[in-house]
Amino acid sequence: MSQYQQDIDTVATLKASQKGAWEGINPEYAARMKAQNRFKTGLDIARFTAAIMRKDMQEYDDDSASYTQSLGCWHGFVGQQKMLSIKKHHGTTNKRYLYLSGWMVAALRSEFGPLPDQSMHEKTSVPALIEELYTFLRQADAKALGELFKQLDVAKTNCKDVAKIQAQIDNFETHVVPIIADIDAGFGNEEATYLLAKKMIEAGACCIQIENQVSDAKQCGHQDGKVTVPHEDFLAKINAVRYAFLELGVDDGVIVARTDSLGAGLTQKIPVSREPGDLAAQYNSFLDTTEITDVSALTEGDVVLKQNGKLVKPVRLPNGLFKFKDNTGFDRVVLDCITSLQHGADLLWIETEKPHVRQIADMVDAIREVVPNAKLVYNNSPSFNWTLNFRQQVFDAWSEAGKDVSGYQRDKLMSAEYDSTALAAEADEKIKTFQRDASRDAGIFHHLITLPTYHTAALSTDNLAQGYFGDEGMLAYVKGVQRKEIRGGLACVKHQAMAGSDLGDTHKEYFSGEAALKAAGEDNTMNQFDV
């Protein structure tokens, strides 16, 4: 017996026990409403989606072609439309997630207005967006199931296709998918991280991404001035997130440990080493230092360390920050990643300055010498100039192979004049296969684009504004938006139904019967789209 039929029978039994007091209750309607609200709390969602991620991680370990993907979404409606489109075009949401970007929360969701990615936005806006995204995804479920229930009623009347539609209801695939949620550097100390992580998990997050920058000096991973924390500080925050998961009963919650060490040349403090070779000593070994041979040369306030039997003075900037040695980023990344995985993290995030498979693979290979199943979440970032990067990669490969590149200027390869060339075609093919290649060769389990819907909103608005306020007038909207919506089968062309008017009509009918005042009558202009 299906869950749907079990719910009908359960409500029918409960109704009978009320001895006539519930005559206005239809057991099938109640079962439908229950099916349309499968997830009662954010913790239900977190537990459900954590299991999905764990399954996907195992499948990736078995076959690197089973990588996962997501796009960053800054509003519940954007996330909802993304998942509706995925189901429409690909038939399933399997291995497709959502990404919640701290950058977009800062830029688009703060009450202060647009902010840079420096953890200046309200920390509560992060769990609020998680809750909003899942509210919209649950509404997508309710809408889709509502349409199936209407089809079932028609099928019962016609005695046709009842079993087929019933099977679609019984095997309905939810739009609720995992969200990888960005907690930045934890918005404070480890207690602050724990408190915020709890709110995020209670809102539905099964996966939290945390980075090893100093919380109050946090910078966007693709900007300068990044300052990292010692391993002990970062591991304390990983512990804080894990405790939050365990306290709330999401025992298989996922933690992504992000390292910005490849582009971070500074640290705020020097950790205390208690024995040779411990984590603090390893961290301090990367400091840029000068040997002290004459103690009298030290000045008031100088900091001195003993390393390998010698006195050394770390390079300290006017702002009090300490500098790492040049060209140590690779080794610091590897140590960050190994240490994080050995102390509770599940996945890694390495922020790089360019999308280069071999560069990423070299670091992952070094990590896997110690942790063989290490795998990454990777930012296919809009901060990279993908066209220029990959054209230059092809240019360099051709040059190294002795191929004639005299017809190209390396620093001008972004120019449209190269768009139809063989070099551009090869570069585009490498971009097309980048995710597949990097998942196979560089251990990338999850590919995401952090800010895509920020850019698509800007681009589509620019296109509409150009035509609508120009010579095209209303045709710019009709040809560039509405006609494409209709022909593309986008559900949101019926924006009233997308916003819930049909669901509301159905509920009114459940509650009031024939007396219900409904919006979807013959005079509803949305009927014009039934073509």
Side-chain angles (χ1 to χ4, degrees), residues 173-187:
E173 182 184 54
T174 179
H175 296 85
V176 170
V177 297
I179 290 177
I180 297 177
D182 184 2
I183 199 172
D184 281 14
F187 286 86

Side-chain angles (χ1 to χ4, degrees), residues 41-46 126-135 138 179 196-206 248:
T41 70
L43 288 177
D44 291 336
I45 293 172
V126 182
L129 179 53
I130 296 169
E131 182 176 6
E132 177 182 290
L133 284 162
Y134 280 128
T135 297
R138 290 161 68 196
I179 290 177
L196 180 55
K198 278 183 63 178
K199 289 294 184 184
M200 293 169 68
I201 298 162
E202 288 169 341
C206 74
L248 295 172

Side-chain angles (χ1 to χ4, degrees), residues 146-167:
E147 292 167 357
L148 286 173
F149 292 142
K150 288 180 181 178
Q151 293 175 30
L152 182 63
D153 290 338
V154 172
K156 287 179 178 178
T157 301
N158 298 334
C159 298
K160 185 179 179 182
D161 292 333
V162 173
K164 178 182 176 182
I165 297 169
Q166 185 67 63

Side-chain angles (χ1 to χ4, degrees), residues 60-107:
Y60 173 80
D61 286 342
D62 297 337
D63 179 4
S64 65
S66 295
Y67 59 88
T68 56
Q69 300 168 292
S70 67
L71 296 174
C73 299
W74 54 272
H75 191 278
F77 178 74
V78 175
Q80 178 197 64
Q81 294 304 302
K82 176 190 140 181
M83 299 317 300
L84 288 171
S85 295
I86 287 171
K87 285 192 80 171
K88 177 168 70 79
H89 291 294
H90 304 287
T92 178
T93 61
N94 185 41
K95 292 182 171 51
R96 278 83 173 203
Y97 303 168
L98 295 181
Y99 179 67
L100 185 151
S101 161
W103 192 102
M104 285 208 285
V105 173

